[in-house]
C-alpha cells in the first residue's frame, strides 16, 4: 500500500514540476506564476489585522482567530446550491488537520508528514510542492498522528513546522527552503504539529510530546534570518540550576519532586502544541499550554502543587517573551487536560459593559470567558458532561474537584477523558449570532494509576496503566455494563449567558473544526465523511455532501474573481482516528480508503466526488493455527497496552486509520521482528521499537494479537467456531 501511494506521490510531483515549466512560453508563464505567488505571500501584520474579506491570511483567519468570515455571497438562502468545484489529491493516507490559507487567489496548505503545497485556489492545480522528508521513525513520538495544522505567511515567506521539530521558511515563489532551523533537542521525543504564527516579524512555534516525556516551550524566530529571538519555557527545569525566567522562579515552589521522581528528568510537560493568538489591542500573545508530563501528578510532582504553568492561558510580551499574566485552568493537572485548544478573542457585552475577552473550551470540559487585559476569570460553565469537578469557584477561578478525581491505581471513571470535551479542532465565533460553535466530545475514561509508577525513556509515559484500564473495560463488558460509547456534537454556545443555544448530534465523536460566516452559515464535517452547511442561528442543516473520508480539519472560505469558495481538507486521522474514540461508523470503514484530498465548493459547482479505489482489504483473513502460551498472551497484553495501544487501540479497537492488527494479510504474522524491531514499515509511520522491546517482548505482543485475531475470526466465521467446538 505504502509504496503504491509513495510512487503515486512522486508521479504527481513530477506533474507539478511540468506545470511550472510548460512548453511554449515557459519563461514568461513561470515568471508570472512566481510573481503571483510572491505577491500572495507578501503580507504582514497590517494585512492580517486589516482583514481583506476575500482572503484568509493566518491560521484562524486573522489574529483574533474567530474563524468568522465576513463573506455573504454564499448564505442561508442559497447554500443548498453548493457543489464541489475541484479536488486536490495529497497522495497521503494519514490525517489532514490543516486550515488552508488563501491570499490573492493562491492557496497554501499542508498535509500529513508536514508536506506543503501551493495551489491555484480557483482550480486546485498544484503550483509547487515541498516535502521536508520527515523520518518515518518520528511517527513514534506523535501521540496523535503525523498531522500538521498549516503554514504561516509573511513577506514572501511560507513557514511550516515539521513533525521532527524543524521550522522551515520556504520561498513563496518556488517552494524552496530559504532557511530551516532545528527547534528541539533531537535526543528527546518532541514533535511539531501546530501552525506557526508570525507577530511583528517573529515566527512563533511550539511543540508537543508530553505523553513521552518532554519540557514544553514556545520559540520566537526572526522571520528574515531564522535567528532565535526568545524562548518561553512553560515549566521549570532542574531547580539546582538558574531558571530561564522570573516566571519560572515564581513557578518553582508549585512543583514538588521526590527522591525517586524528578519532573525535570521526566519532562514536566506543558507543551504548547496548538493555540497561539496575538492581540494587537493589548499587544500580548496568548498561549494555551499543555498537560503534565507524565499526566499523573503522583508521579510528576509527588508532593502535590499546582505545577505552574501547565494547562493555562499565559499572556506573553511579543518583544521579549516575558510573562504578563497567567490563568491556570487545571491546577495540578492530572488527566491530560491540555489548555491548548483554540483561543478566540472578542469584545462581549457582559452585564451592560463591553469586555475584552478570551473564550476557551479546553479539554477539561468548562467553557471559560476570561478578561484578556489581566487574565481574571469572568465566568466558567461546563459545555459537556464533567465529573472530575463540581464547577469553577468564581472567586478564586479554581475548579472544585471531586474527591475521587485524583485517581490511584484502581480504575476511576471520569469525564471528560484525555481526548477532552473538546480537542484541537478549532471552535468558531460568529459576532452576528453571538454564538460560539464547539465540536464537543462527551465520553468517559478509566483513569488507572500505574502501580508501581514507572518511567521508560522514549516510551509512552503517562503514569497510567493502559493494560489495567483495558482489563477494567473487559471486566465491565463481562458484567454486562460496558462503558457507554463516546459521543460527538456540534454545540452552539452563548458565551454571555453560558448556555447552549442548540446542538447537532454527530455520527461519531471525532469530528471537524468549525467555520462560520456573515452569510449566516456554519460549516462542519464528521467522521462519517459528511460535510455540511447549517443555519448558524438554528443549527438547521441546509446542504451536505459526502467527501468519502472522515473530516477533522476546519473549513475556510475565500474569494477569487469575486466568486466565493469554501474549502476543506478531508483525511481521517488524529488521535481519534487512531484508537482514542473508538468511532466505528466512519467513512474509512465504509469506503476502505483514506487518501487525503482538499476540496473546494461554490454555488453551482458540478465536480463529482468519487470514492477512491479501496486500499484496505475487507474481511478477516484466517490467522495461522498456533498453540499459544497463556503466560505469553498475558505478557503481550501488558506490553501491547504500554507501547502499542496509543495508535492501535486499547483492546485492539482502533478507529481504522492504522490497520486492524487482527485482520492483517497472513504473511504479516511472519514479519513481526522485521516490522517491530527492524523498522521494515518505518516509511509509513510504523517505527522500530528496538530500543525498548526485545525479541521475546515482540513474540509476546504477537501472541496476544494472534489470540485476539483467532477470537475475531471465529466471531466473523461462525462455522469456524462450530468446528472448534467439535474438537
Ligand atoms: Ca496530551
Amino acid at each position: 500500500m505504502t509504496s503504491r501511494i509513495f510512487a503515486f506521490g512522486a508521479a504527481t510531483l513530477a506533474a507539478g514540476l511540468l506545470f511550472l515549466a510548460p512548453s511554449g512560453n515557459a519563461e514568461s508563464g513561470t515568471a508570472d506564476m512566481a510573481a503571483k505567488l510572491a505577491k500572495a505571500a507578501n503580507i504582514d501584520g497590517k494585512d492580517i489585522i486589516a482583514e481583506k474579506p476575500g482572503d484568509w491570511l493566518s491560521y484562524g483567519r486573522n489574529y483574533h482567530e474567530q474563524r468568522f468570515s465576513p463573506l455573504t455571497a454564499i448564505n442561508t438562502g442559497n447554500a443548498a446550491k453548493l457543489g464541489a468545484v475541484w479536488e486536490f489529491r495529497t497522495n497521503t493516507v494519514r490525517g489532514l488537520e490543516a486550515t488552508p490559507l488563501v491570499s490573492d487567489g493562491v492557496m497554501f496548505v499542508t498535509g500529513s508528514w508536514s508536506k506543503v503545497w501551493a495551489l491555484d485556489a480557483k482550480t486546485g492545480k498544484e503550483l509547487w510542492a515541498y516535502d521536508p522528508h520527515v523520518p518515518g521513525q518520528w511517527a513514534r513520538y506523535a501521540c496523535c498522528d503525523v498531522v500538521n495544522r498549516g503554514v504561516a505567511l509573511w513577506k514572501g515567506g511560507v513557514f511550516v513546522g515539521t513533525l521532527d521539530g524543524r521550522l522551515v521558511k520556504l520561498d513563496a515563489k518556488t517552494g524552496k527552503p530559504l532557511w530551516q532551523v532545528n527547534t528541539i533537542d533531537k535526543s528527546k521525543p518532541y514533535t511539531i504539529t501546530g501552525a506557526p504564527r508570525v507577530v511583528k516579524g517573529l515566527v512563533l512555534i511550539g511543540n508537543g510530546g508530553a505523553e513521552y516525556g518532554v519540557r514544553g516551550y514556545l520559540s520566537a524566530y526572526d522571520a528574515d534570518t531564522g535567528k532565535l529571538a526568545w524562548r518561553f519555557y512553560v515549566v521549570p527545569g532542574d531547580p539546582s540550576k538558574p531558571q530561564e525566567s522570573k516566571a519560572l522562579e515564581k513557578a518553582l515552589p508549585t512543583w514538588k519532586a521526590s527522591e525517586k521522581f524528578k519532573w525535570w528528568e521526566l519532562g514536566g510537560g506543558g507543551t504548547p502544541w496548538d493555540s497561539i493568538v496575538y492581540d494587537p489591542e493589548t499587544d500580548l500573545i496568548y498561549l494555551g499550554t499543555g498537560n503534565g508530563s507524565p499526566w499523573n501528578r503522583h508521579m510528576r510532582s509527588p508532593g502535590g502543587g499546582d505545577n505552574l504553568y501547565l494547562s493555562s492561558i499565559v499572556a506573553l510580551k511579543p518583544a521579549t517573551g516575558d510573562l504578563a499574566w497567567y490563568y491556570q485552568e487545571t491546577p495540578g493537572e492530572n488527566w491530560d487536560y491540555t489548555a491548548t485548544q483554540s483561543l478566540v478573542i472578542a469584545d462581549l457585552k457582559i452585564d451592560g459593559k463591553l469586555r475584552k475577552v478570551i473564550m476557551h473550551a479546553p479539554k477539561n470540559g468548562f467553557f471559560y470567558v476570561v478578561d484578556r487585559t489581566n487574565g481574571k476569570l469572568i465566568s466558567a460553565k461546563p459545555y459537556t458532561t464533567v465529573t472530575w469537578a463540581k464547577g469553577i469557584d468564581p472567586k478564586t477561578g479554581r475548579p472544585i474537584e471531586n474527591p475521587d478525581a485524583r485517581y490511584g491505581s484502581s480504575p476511576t471513571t471520569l469525564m471528560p477523558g484525555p481526548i477532552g470535551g473538546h480537542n484541537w479542532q478549532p471552535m468558531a465565533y460568529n459576532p452576528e449570532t453571538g454564538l460560539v460553535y464547539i465540536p464537543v466530545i462527551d465520553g468517559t475514561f478509566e483513569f488507572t494509576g500505574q502501580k508501581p509508577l514507572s518511567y521508560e525513556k522514549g516510551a509512552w509515559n503517562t503514569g497510567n496503566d493502559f493494560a489495567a484500564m483495558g482489563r477494567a473495560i473487559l471486566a465491565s463488558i463481562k458484567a454486562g455494563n460496558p462503558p457507554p460509547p463516546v459521543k460527538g456534537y456540534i454545540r452552539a454556545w452563548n458565551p454571555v449567558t453560558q448556555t447552549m443555544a442548540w446542538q447537532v448530534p454527530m455520527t461519531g465523536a471525532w469530528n471537524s473544526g468549525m467555520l462560520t460566516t456573515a452569510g449566516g452559515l456554519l460549516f462542519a464535517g464528521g467522521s462519517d465523511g459528511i460535510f455540511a452547511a447549517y443555519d448558524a442561528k438554528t443549527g438547521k442543516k441546509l446542504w451536505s455532501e459526502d467527501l468519502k473520508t472522515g473530516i477533522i480539519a476546519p473549513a475556510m472560505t475565500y474569494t477569487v474573481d469575486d466568486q466565493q469558495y469554501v474549502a476543506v481538507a478531508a483525511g481521517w486521522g488524529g488521535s481519534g482516528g487512531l484508537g482514542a474514540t473508538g468511532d466505528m461508523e466512519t467513512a474509512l470503514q465504509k469506503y476502505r480508503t483514506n487518501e487525503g484530498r482538499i476540496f473546494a465548493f461554490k454555488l453551482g459547482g458540478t465536480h463529482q466526488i468519487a470514492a477512491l479505489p479501496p486500499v484496505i482489504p475487507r474481511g478477516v483473513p484466517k490467522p495461522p493455527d498456533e498453540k499459544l502460551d497463556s503466560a505469553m498472551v498475558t505478557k503481550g497484553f501488558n506490553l501491547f497496552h504500554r507501547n502499542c495501544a496509543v495508535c492501535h487501540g486499547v483492546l485492539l479497537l482502533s478507529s481504522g486509520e492504522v490497520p486492524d492488527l487482527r485482520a492483517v494479510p497472513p504473511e504479516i504474522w511472519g514479519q513481526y521482528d522485521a516490522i517491530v524491531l527492524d523498522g521494515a514499515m518505518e516509511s509509513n509511520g510504523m517505527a522500530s521499537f528496538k530500543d525498548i522491546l526485545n525479541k521475546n517482548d515482540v513474540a509476546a505482543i504477537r501472541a496476544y494479537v494472534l489470540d485476539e485475531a483467532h477470537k475475531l475470526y471465529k466471531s466473523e466465521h461462525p462455522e469456524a467456531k462450530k468446528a472448534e467446538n467439535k474438537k
Side-chain angles (χ1 to χ4, degrees), residues 143-144 210-211 271 273 290-292 295 336-338 363 418:
C143 65
C144 307
E211 273 64 51
T271 46
W273 48 264
N291 56 279
W295 303 346
D336 191 16
Y337 287 163
T338 67
K363 274 191 192 173

Side-chain angles (χ1 to χ4, degrees), residues 411 446 467-483 637 651:
E446 306 277 326
M469 189 183 85
R471 280 192 290 271
I473 294 171
L474 282 177
S476 65
I477 293 168
K478 220 172 184 175
N481 183 31
F637 178 94
L651 304 176

Side-chain angles (χ1 to χ4, degrees), residues 319-342:
T320 57
D322 287 337
L323 183 73
W325 57 254
Y326 72 92
Y327 173 59
Q328 190 175 42
E329 293 171 331
T330 311
E333 199 287 305
N334 199 45
W335 310 271
D336 191 16
Y337 287 163
T338 67
T340 56
Q341 284 56 48
S342 44

Side-chain angles (χ1 to χ4, degrees), residues 49-85:
I49 293 165
E51 303 189 18
K52 222 170 110 190
D55 283 351
W56 190 291
L57 299 180
S58 184
Y59 180 66
R61 185 164 183 276
N62 52 33
Y63 282 135
H64 289 199
E65 305 232 344
Q66 293 179 347
R67 294 182 179 269
F68 168 76
S69 165
L71 298 178
T72 55
I74 300 169
N75 54 54
T76 48
N78 60 22
K81 295 186 188 120
L82 277 165
V85 58

